[in-house]
Amino acid sequence: MVPLEREPLASLRREKNFFYPQIDFSAPKALDPLRILIQTLFLMMVCPPRGHGPRLVNTTLAFLRTIGAAINRMGDAFGALALKVVRNLADDSQRYPIKSERKGLSWVSWLFVLPGIALAALCITQPFNLHGQIVFLTFMFCSMIVMTRIRARITLMLLFVISFVVSGRYLWWRCTSTVSMGSGLDLFFGALLLIAEIYAFAVMVLGYFQVCWVLDRKPAPLPKDRETWPHVDIFIPTYNESIDVIKPTVYAALNMDWPKEKLHVYVLDDGSRDYIAAFADEVGAGYIKREEHNHAKAGNINHAMTVTNGEYIVIFDCDHVPSNDFLTSTVGWLVKDKNIALVQTPHHFYSPDPFEKNLHLDRAVPIENSLFHDFIQKGNDTWNATMFCGSSAVMRRVALEEIGGIAVETVTEDAHTSLKLNRRGWSSAFIDRPLASGLSTETLSAHIGQRIRWARGMIQIFRVDNPLFGKGLTLPQRLCFFNAMLHFLHGAPRIIFLLAPLPYMFADIYIIYATAAAVFAYVVPHMVHTAMTNQILQRGYRYPFLSGVYETILSWYILIPTTVALLFPHVGKFNVTAKGGTIGEKYLDWHISWPYLVLMGLNMIGLAIGINKAIFDPNPEYLTLVINLGWIVYNLMVLGASMAVAVEEKEEHRFPRIALNLPIVLEKADGTRVNMRSVEYSQKELRIRAVDTQFEGLADGEVVYVELADGDNCQRFKATTIKTIEGRGIDLAIDLPDTTVERAWNSATFSREGMWAIKPEGTVDDRFLTGFLKLGELSLYGYRSMIEFLPGRVLPAIRDGIRSLLPYRPVSEKRRWSRY
């Protein structure tokens, strides 16, 4: 690849400072292969040698493109062969292509997985000395670099294999060579870390399995004759939410593109409020309440099933607003395949969640739950294990009735219901298209409360209806459901990782009983391969390094509920997540962030001890100190970013605003018509901007009319100017005098076709290094905010505390003392 001279090695011996100045070729050293690899990659990718740069880079890229093309052709041939085998094996392949793909993938995957597992086990358990380990990992690292340059599904699977082997070798080494039996404390802390690492490895492997070949299902067409379309009941359960939260969802349900005589919208009010009943009656929706309020949301839906009779049931949380093409995009699969009981769509949110809002993330950055709802669910669909998420889903009534309705045994009734359906042989589907959007939790404390319920409920399912046991599930289904439950046990492992370097700092306890060189040879490759593979796998669904922040924030708060659920699965109740609130002033939630402060304080003490050891210890173990100090610094970065999430930002608007770029016609009171563009809207407001740079603006309080397209129609609304924003446009208050106009506004905005499938404008730099730098930036913001929002009494208390630690000295013969 680099034919610089006829005898490059001889040239390097003569001028060793040319390409590899750090290598003495006359006296090779053990780590020289690793040095050569690093220097070669640096010369190839970052800083080519003068005079050879273009040739070197072009040759390298051409080589990689050739490899990529060959692998893509191999992948296409493999896929064609697999599909041919499937069609020969499956009688109904032409009728149900998705079912055929699932069958073929399962059959072909097991054909290759079993020998692959045997080969991986051989690679993982093969004993190497330190030099052999370095050579082996050098080969694996080069393979990974090549694979990352090739965009193909099969190369992603090969990356999974490489990551599995490298991490498996690390874990094998940890289990067989690094657990110290010297003292009780060494064994205790070492075993804790090892258990946490085994847990992380299990989650990683199961995650790779879930998404190794995701199914990108598209909507199935409905019959052309609309008269044959089925009756659909839309359930909107509510308990104590405000009417302003409920209205957009009810209007959007009524605005759906579906035969009106076959569309039945019901508000299920567990709060039994008269004004909700009056609103439902006014707009033409049904109203259902019950006398006994047992089993929370699940009981509310089950009661509604007894007084309705639609063939299909659609469930929306009362803040989840669907676009008008929701039914036409989902029901087709239920009509086409009579064995499908559930069609789930992604959960998207039109208001920013606490991470997006408090960390000031761009709207184009994937939100916290995007990884599951936009990616993992597609992998679940591959294995016929799509999970019901409680909202934005269509279900077959006869299937629900067969399992006794929505599950009531746990507080996560949605996931448990989908598990029960799969056990009875029903299939499920996932449409990868946002067709509804809801309100996020407004504060970090509300977010944590919601996740506590989810974590408790998933562990309750693990105890009362464990997917690993019982009849009716395939092995892939068992693994998908099990991984969803296992994920919520991350509380203890995450805390262990945040505290792991401290035993050595505090008491010279070796939690990994090995030389520093061996730690570098095994730990660093494991971390690099895992991080790189996940970064490639999750690109577009999870920003680099934010997973650690998400887990750190929840770790302490889900630890106790999940532990209790493991021991006492029937303890706990359903808590309604508060939605639709506002934040008047910016503040730091000290109460919710106290676990992060404790972990932060311990790590800072460990950092100070480590620096003291490096400077004043007569025989410091520098490599060990570097490893532990680096670990502590990373922990402090994650904890600082976690504190940044606890800084609640002020919300300027009562109703969340949603971006929408559409042509608008503005008509002034004198009849002048001006072409404008919409910028964003809310339930009662609209921001527009002028297309013509000569537009002079509007006076505050000026009455105007705005016209915007709604499908084939044009909607016209009266509005009043709120204010003109320099360089940003004009804010208008829309006049909505009655429910008819409100519903029309909803049709033109919230529920317009494809509204929630519009991707945010802009791009995100989600490279690995950029993500790490972003983590550092968020961490600094968290620490600055801690200083900014210190309570008034804290600074004097800190000052007095420091003064109390100062020594005293005598000042007279009477032994009076003063501070030194």
Side-chain angles (χ1 to χ4, degrees):
M1 292 175 59
V2 196
L4 301 179
E5 295 187 29
R6 290 174 179 265
E7 296 179 335
L9 192 59
S11 173
L12 289 174
R13 289 196 183 100
R14 290 193 300 270
E15 298 183 40
K16 63 181 182 181
N17 291 327
F18 183 52
F19 287 118
Y20 302 92
Q22 68 273 53
I23 306 297
D24 184 359
F25 287 91
S26 62
K29 298 181 177 60
L31 296 180
D32 279 354
L34 182 61
R35 297 186 183 98
I36 291 173
L37 171 66
I38 295 172
Q39 179 71 1
T40 301
L41 293 174
F42 177 77
L43 292 175
M44 289 169 56
M45 307 298 179
V46 181
C47 185
R50 184 175 300 175
H52 300 286
R55 179 182 180 186
L56 185 65
V57 172
N58 291 336
T59 304
T60 302
L61 292 178
F63 178 71
L64 290 177
R65 282 194 293 268
T66 302
I67 293 177
I71 291 179
N72 273 320
R73 285 195 294 271
M74 291 172 58
D76 293 340
F78 174 81
L81 177 63
L83 186 58
K84 185 176 180 180
V85 172
V86 169
R87 287 179 173 172
N88 290 334
L89 290 176
D91 295 332
D92 56 349
S93 60
Q94 297 297 325
R95 191 176 178 190
Y96 302 122
I98 295 293
K99 189 182 297 184
S100 299
E101 187 173 344
R102 283 172 172 170
K103 288 182 179 179
L105 182 58
S106 178
W107 185 85
V108 175
S109 62
W110 287 117
L111 181 64
F112 288 93
V113 163
L114 294 178
I117 291 175
L119 181 60
L122 179 63
C123 293
I124 288 171
T125 59
Q126 178 66 31
F128 287 146
N129 58 22
L130 189 58
H131 295 172
Q133 171 73 1
I134 293 171
V135 172
F136 176 76
L137 291 175
T138 300
F139 170 75
M140 300 300 280
F141 183 77
C142 291
S143 302
M144 180 191 72
I145 294 298
V146 172
M147 294 303 169
T148 58
R149 298 282 174 170
I150 302 168
R151 301 297 181 190
R153 183 177 288 190
I154 193 170
T155 57
L156 182 61
M157 297 183 71
L158 292 175
L159 281 175
F160 292 165
V161 173
I162 294 172
S163 176
F164 174 74
V165 170
V166 172
S167 297
R169 280 197 64 80
Y170 165 73
L171 204 61
W172 181 262
W173 171 73
R174 285 281 288 115
C175 292
T176 59
S177 306
T178 66
V179 179
S180 173
M181 301 294 180
S183 70
L185 289 177
D186 285 349
L187 178 60
F188 175 74
F189 287 110
L192 278 181
L193 179 60
L194 181 58
I195 292 171
E197 289 177 314
I198 292 173
Y199 165 86
F201 180 76
V203 171
M204 180 193 78
V205 172
L206 289 172
Y208 289 167
F209 169 78
Q210 272 185 288
V211 297
C212 64
W213 203 278
V214 296
L215 182 60
D216 192 9
R217 186 192 296 263
K218 303 301 181 184
L222 285 159
K224 293 182 179 180
D225 184 4
R226 293 172 67 97
E227 296 296 327
T228 64
W229 290 10
H231 285 264
V232 177
D233 293 336
I234 298 180
F235 292 168
I236 305 173
T238 176
Y239 174 58
N240 58 2
E241 296 83 1
S242 72
I243 193 170
D244 286 327
V245 171
I246 300 170
K247 276 184 175 182
T249 304
V250 175
Y251 289 141
L254 293 168
N255 287 332
M256 280 197 188
D257 180 15
W258 201 257
K260 298 308 176 185
E261 69 278 6
K262 296 185 176 183
L263 181 68
H264 315 284
V265 179
Y266 300 97
V267 178
L268 317 184
D269 184 18
D270 242 6
S272 300
R273 294 162 291 179
D274 293 337
Y275 64 91
I276 298 294
F279 164 73
D281 181 65
E282 182 180 1
V283 299
Y287 177 81
I288 299 175
K289 66 177 182 178
R290 54 181 179 149
E291 298 298 328
E292 296 183 2
H293 303 280
N294 54 343
H295 302 307
K297 177 182 174 181
N300 195 3
I301 295 172
N302 289 339
H303 171 260
M305 288 179 61
T306 65
V307 295
T308 57
N309 56 12
E311 185 177 352
Y312 301 114
I313 295 173
V314 181
I315 300 174
F316 291 116
D317 284 345
C318 65
D319 61 295
H320 281 207
V321 185
S323 56
N324 67 4
D325 56 339
F326 182 92
L327 290 177
T328 55
S329 300
T330 55
V331 177
W333 277 108
L334 291 158
V335 172
K336 181 177 183 178
D337 187 345
K338 300 301 181 182
N339 196 53
I340 290 180
L342 164 71
V343 176
Q344 178 67 58
T345 66
H347 279 200
H348 277 222
F349 299 92
Y350 60 84
S351 65
D353 64 20
F355 299 97
E356 187 180 1
K357 173 171 62 73
N358 298 342
L359 296 180
H360 310 108
L361 299 178
D362 191 275
R363 286 292 286 180
V365 173
I367 61 174
E368 180 259 349
N369 64 6
S370 178
L371 180 63
F372 175 78
H373 286 287
D374 295 333
F375 186 54
I376 293 177
Q377 280 279 59
K378 292 195 291 185
N380 288 338
D381 194 18
T382 301
W383 306 113
N384 193 20
T386 299
M387 295 185 190
F388 175 40
C389 299
S391 179
S392 305
V394 189
M395 309 185 79
R396 192 181 299 272
R397 180 183 288 269
V398 294
L400 271 181
E401 291 174 344
E402 183 179 324
I403 63 170
I406 302 295
V408 299
E409 296 87 347
T410 67
V411 296
T412 46
E413 75 292 332
D414 41 15
H416 197 186
T417 299
S418 51
L419 176 62
K420 284 186 168 186
L421 288 169
N422 283 142
R423 283 196 187 276
R424 297 301 294 265
W426 290 97
S427 296
S428 55
F430 178 76
I431 303 295
D432 180 30
R433 184 183 181 189
L435 295 168
S437 191
L439 290 171
S440 296
T441 50
E442 284 81 17
T443 63
L444 179 60
S445 60
H447 172 87
I448 290 174
Q450 182 188 64
R451 295 307 196 269
I452 288 174
R453 177 173 64 82
W454 292 2
R456 179 191 292 120
M458 295 303 285
I459 302 306
Q460 285 177 331
I461 300 173
F462 179 78
R463 282 296 315 278
V464 303
D465 194 8
N466 195 311
L468 296 179
F469 307 103
K471 298 180 180 180
L473 298 178
T474 64
L475 179 58
Q477 287 175 326
R478 296 180 192 276
L479 294 178
C480 289
F481 280 102
F482 174 67
N483 192 36
M485 299 166 193
L486 187 64
H487 164 75
F488 285 101
L489 293 175
H490 69 73
R494 175 57 60 179
I495 293 174
I496 290 172
F497 292 141
L498 291 170
L499 298 176
L502 301 185
Y504 174 75
M505 295 301 187
F506 289 170
D508 290 327
I509 295 173
Y510 294 89
I511 57 174
I512 300 179
Y513 196 71
T515 64
V519 170
F520 273 109
Y522 282 90
V523 177
V524 174
H526 156 65
M527 295 175 64
V528 169
H529 279 271
T530 301
M532 290 290 290
T533 303
N534 278 291
Q535 195 262 342
I536 294 169
L537 171 67
Q538 299 173 3
R539 180 169 290 158
Y541 304 103
R542 176 63 56 85
Y543 196 76
F545 292 98
L546 285 187
S547 289
V549 178
Y550 297 150
E551 290 189 1
T552 297
I553 284 175
L554 295 177
S555 57
W556 170 257
Y557 288 102
I558 68 172
L559 175 60
I560 296 177
T562 53
T563 303
V564 171
L566 276 174
L567 300 175
F568 309 102
H570 298 290
V571 174
K573 63 178 181 178
F574 187 97
N575 297 315
V576 177
T577 302
K579 300 284 185 71
T582 58
I583 300 175
E585 295 293 336
K586 181 178 180 180
Y587 69 97
L588 195 156
D589 193 339
W590 292 100
H591 177 73
I592 204 70
S593 57
W594 72 263
Y596 323 138
L597 293 172
V598 173
L599 293 168
M600 189 183 294
L602 291 173
N603 275 273
M604 285 183 172
I605 295 172
L607 181 66
I609 294 174
I611 295 173
N612 180 73
K613 284 185 176 184
I615 298 174
F616 299 107
D617 195 307
N619 297 302
E621 298 176 334
Y622 285 115
L623 284 177
T624 305
L625 284 172
V626 166
I627 293 171
N628 284 281
L629 287 174
W631 195 339
I632 289 175
V633 169
Y634 176 74
N635 286 345
L636 289 173
M637 292 174 66
V638 172
L639 290 166
S642 301
M643 287 300 300
V645 183
V647 182
E648 300 290 354
E649 288 289 340
K650 178 181 178 181
E651 294 182 354
E652 298 180 5
H653 308 288
R654 179 186 174 191
F655 300 108
R657 295 196 168 192
I658 304 130
L660 181 63
N661 186 0
L662 288 176
I664 300 283
V665 176
L666 176 73
E667 182 179 319
K668 294 185 177 182
D670 60 2
T672 304
R673 296 170 66 85
V674 183
N675 291 326
M676 311 286 282
R677 300 290 299 188
S678 64
V679 178
E680 56 187 15
Y681 69 91
S682 69
Q683 285 180 232
K684 298 184 178 181
E685 295 177 355
L686 174 68
R687 175 172 291 178
I688 59 177
R689 60 178 174 84
V691 176
D692 186 357
T693 56
Q694 303 300 320
F695 180 67
E696 298 179 355
L698 298 172
D700 291 355
E702 184 175 349
V703 177
V704 295
Y705 289 88
V706 291
E707 295 178 1
L708 65 162
D710 178 17
D712 296 331
N713 302 319
C714 182
Q715 301 281 9
R716 178 182 172 91
F717 302 95
K718 183 179 179 181
T720 304
T721 304
I722 300 175
K723 60 180 177 180
T724 300
I725 305 170
E726 186 67 28
R728 297 174 64 187
I730 303 168
D731 278 352
L732 302 175
I734 306 299
D735 186 12
L736 304 173
D738 53 44
T739 57
T740 302
V741 180
E742 284 183 339
R743 180 173 171 180
W745 174 249
N746 181 280
S747 176
T749 53
F750 285 92
S751 61
R752 66 184 301 116
E753 182 177 353
M755 174 64 223
W756 308 119
I758 301 174
K759 294 185 178 180
E761 296 180 358
T763 58
V764 176
D765 186 355
D766 58 357
R767 291 175 296 176
F768 196 75
L769 179 59
T770 307
F772 184 77
L773 295 176
K774 184 65 175 180
L775 178 66
E777 176 188 331
L778 297 176
S779 175
L780 291 176
Y781 172 67
Y783 288 112
R784 288 199 308 269
S785 298
M786 288 173 60
I787 297 173
E788 177 185 354
F789 291 100
L790 274 175
R793 63 181 184 278
V794 171
L795 288 177
I798 293 175
R799 181 193 61 201
D800 294 341
I802 294 175
R803 284 172 58 86
S804 69
L805 297 175
L806 296 176
Y808 284 74
R809 63 180 179 182
V811 295
S812 68
E813 296 180 357
K814 296 182 180 180
R815 290 195 174 186
R816 289 181 298 177
W817 298 76
S818 68
R819 295 186 187 276
Y820 181 70

